Amino acid sequence: MNLKPNLKIALIIITIIALISIGFKAKPILGNYDDFNPEKVYKITYRFFFKSGDKNTTLKTYIPTTNSRQRISGEQIKNDSLLFFTKQKEKHQNIRAIWETNDTNSYHSIDYEFIFEGKAKHYKIPNTFNKLSEEYDEYLKATNDIQSNDSIINTLASGLIQNTKNDREIIKNIFDYVYEIPSAPIITLTDALTTIKQNKASCNGKSRLFVALCRNMGYPARVKGGIIVENANKRTSHAWVEVLINQTWVPFDGLNNHFAFIPANYLELYQGDKPLITHTADIQFDYSYQIDEVNHVSFLKMNSEELHKLPGFSLWNLVDKKIIPKGALNLLLLLPIGGLLVAFLRNIVGLKTFGVFLPVLIAFSLSHTGFVSGIAIFVGLIMFIGLIAYPFDKLRLLYTPKLVISLTIMVSLIVVATHFGVKNNIEWLTKLTFFPIIILTISAERFSRSTLEDGYIKAMDKLFQTLIATSISYLILSWTWLPSVLILFPEIVLLIVVLATFLGRYIGIRWIELFRFKPLFNSENKKLNF
């Protein structure tokens, strides 16, 4: 691996420049490490507009608090001087913001702004639940809108509990029943019984029915209220359910099919079957939620302005000003990392793959489909291409027209499978977006060419080794913090050039060859010892 003097000097200079530039930024970045690691960050503004009545006027709304999966900061309140603002702590850690005024028949506006940082959370549900103490009895009681002791609820609960073996299966039956009720954008209050009778509901009706069924069967449950945050100016809030399982409140969303899971963009505001906003009756009132996603680095406490002030060079400006879509930029930055990894696997380990960057691109497509389902779809389509190419070989068609026919059939199959998945709610069939289809098509073309040039046995062997390289690339490239590191430290690309140069000069024996020729090496050592 001897390098020419001029090349060695150039590589040393590149390395020094990259390390110095990284060093300037490393200290302030390491000093602002954030172990909360939010997946989503939004700036949210409640905007209220109303005309006060003939007497004292009051407006109340629930505001969020920090917990294990969401962090609230940057609270700012803008309202006119005629409004008096207070906060009120209620039962179950709910906090209400209250605005009052004695000024009559006048117009008022309020902006209540905060930063929401959220992360998704999965819960593992045991088969059997522990018995609970009496302190949770309030979550087993019937209410006017959650009629858990009604005979209709009793009959339905009895049917859902049949042929179940444990608590988890019962909760799953309740969830599936509620989820299968057709969704409808009903803005009025829908109680549990009405949801059953009309067999359609929005989030609030489905949540009340879910809670009623759980309470009827002896599982403490409650309604949870909040907002699904997204880049939008919206007016709708959202409701889901929490069931107490072994001292943990576990979320279930029967509208959006989230079983024991809460997404990163769910803002939790209050618990209990309550309205989010209340105000004095018979006043003119309007409101909206202005939601703007904030670009962030998950492992840093630094805001956008602080990131712009970092010394040296970074690509944060491209992200913050949306000059390049973040997903596209991540792909561009991760490609060299993936390429270096595959080059190592080919030149040092000795794997044979379909090209250098194709395993990396396949790994990216797996991030859209999921690893297991993506590998299964990938292998299935590749095998399908091999099978449908066989009769065309018998017809002695030229390679290019034969490939066009095969790939056209494959793309048609993907489109039909996606349509079938959407129609029948088969999630894994709906994950073949445009990008994965392109990658799978290129892969199929490479496999088809390999079978023609090397035969099916060698093509299958190369496919297997490509899948190994793809799996390793997926493992590395799925590190969520890696794209952010490359955005903050683009100098790493220079280090990749240096490392790739060393790889390019490697002429030693590959690791696979060490394994293959191990008996030969052992016999040679025995002769030398003799």
Side-chain angles (χ1 to χ4, degrees), residues 33-49:
Y33 175 73
D34 184 6
D35 57 1
F36 185 74
N37 290 320
E39 299 169 37
K40 297 286 186 179
V41 179
Y42 293 88
K43 183 174 76 171
I44 301 172
T45 305
Y46 293 2
R47 287 186 172 157
F48 301 126
F49 310 90

Side-chain angles (χ1 to χ4, degrees), residues 126-142:
N127 289 331
T128 305
F129 304 166
N130 297 333
K131 291 184 178 180
L132 298 168
S133 62
E134 295 180 356
E135 64 180 299
Y136 298 107
D137 284 351
E138 67 172 295
Y139 302 107
L140 294 171
K141 294 178 180 178

